[in-house]
Amino acid sequence: MGTDPTAETPGGPFGSRLWQISGLFLLGLVLLAGVTIAVQRPGGDDQGAPAAPGPTASASTSAAPDGGTGECPEPAVSEDLPRTAPDARWELTRTVALPVSETAGPARVDGDVARCYAHSPTGALIAAAQISARYVVAEDWARVVKEQTYGAGQQPLLEQRTAYEKTAEPVAPVPGELGQVAGFQFVTYTPQTAVLQLVNRFGDSGVMQATTITLRWHKGDWQMELPDVAPPQRTVDDLTGYVPWGGV
């Protein structure tokens, strides 16, 4: 059985070198492997658990870009929530396997910025996987943050990590240090806002953590929210209730 969806992990990957660099009290903290992951599982109370994808979480058919630059292609896409693993090839980006779809994006890769995602649930899902990894591990992470995120946590992250890197030695991820995508679940979806959960599996331990990611459709592409406080993490025993999906 999976764990209680409200069981939050107060610890997380705080011991990671990349945690210290990135100030990952923000959304990307779920991606990083930790030295120790503390787990608390309050029993019995499942109130407030995110809704599993259902018929009410359907997408609108009005999916035309709103004010995009015209640089992104407009592929024919399905507006249905993915109930099975979307077709994708998985490409390594600094040791993290990230999904690429011929129909859902990213259709453009410019340096460390992968963009042009389909205006669809699958496009939002792939954008969530790509952006949440790239803004942590990319060499040009600041550009990813500036162009592909929004929210109250954006500026603090830019300021704190920039200040840190002025004196700190560059640190690159090593194999096995970062979590890999293992599954997903949509919470809600509209053509303007997507809320979903990504599950990441960590290293040889196989520990899995889930976090909630919010994206908005803005100027013809998906952007990921960076809140000013970290969203709750929770450890899951298995992928019950999630769609298994991953490249590792």
Side-chain angles (χ1 to χ4, degrees):
M1 295 179 61
T3 59
D4 177 357
T6 61
E8 300 175 4
T9 56
F14 301 109
S16 169
R17 299 167 307 134
L18 288 175
W19 165 278
Q20 297 166 5
I21 292 173
S22 304
L24 292 177
F25 52 92
L26 303 172
L27 194 56
L29 61 85
V30 73
L31 292 172
L32 304 184
V35 176
T36 302
I37 298 178
V39 180
Q40 289 184 345
R41 296 177 182 166
D45 183 8
D46 61 358
Q47 294 181 357
T56 57
S58 60
S60 167
T61 57
S62 57
D66 56 349
T69 63
E71 297 177 353
C72 293
E74 298 181 17
V77 295
S78 170
E79 292 300 317
D80 296 329
L81 291 179
R83 309 285 183 173
T84 59
D87 290 335
R89 70 177 185 273
W90 294 80
E91 299 180 351
L92 286 179
T93 298
R94 304 197 85 192
T95 76
V96 181
L98 300 178
V100 177
S101 166
E102 296 300 325
T103 58
R108 301 280 187 270
V109 177
D110 179 11
D112 284 319
V113 174
R115 60 187 180 86
C116 294
Y117 299 95
H119 195 178
S120 70
T122 301
L125 171 63
I126 292 179
Q130 285 271 355
I131 298 170
S132 64
R134 287 177 179 272
Y135 98 91
V136 176
V137 303
E139 292 186 18
D140 195 359
W141 61 269
R143 182 183 169 204
V144 178
V145 171
K146 292 174 183 177
E147 296 184 10
Q148 297 192 289
T149 73
Y150 70 99
Q154 184 193 63
Q155 192 60 32
L157 173 61
L158 287 168
E159 293 173 357
Q160 293 177 23
R161 182 166 173 178
T162 298
Y164 180 92
E165 292 187 351
K166 286 181 178 179
T167 57
E169 290 290 330
V171 178
V174 297
E177 184 177 22
L178 306 182
Q180 303 289 346
V181 176
F184 69 90
Q185 174 195 79
F186 273 84
V187 180
T188 61
Y189 178 85
T190 73
Q192 300 309 315
T193 305
V195 181
L196 57 90
Q197 289 191 334
L198 280 182
V199 178
N200 283 263
R201 181 181 288 109
F202 297 94
D204 295 335
S205 70
V207 171
M208 293 187 291
Q209 285 184 306
T211 197
T212 301
I213 295 177
T214 299
L215 303 101
R216 70 176 182 181
W217 183 257
H218 181 69
K219 294 185 177 180
D221 212 353
W222 291 107
Q223 291 183 328
M224 187 186 77
E225 181 184 16
L226 292 179
D228 56 353
V229 294
Q233 290 178 264
R234 71 181 192 278
T235 298
V236 295
D237 293 330
D238 55 44
L239 293 174
T240 300
Y242 295 91
V243 177
W245 187 54
V248 175

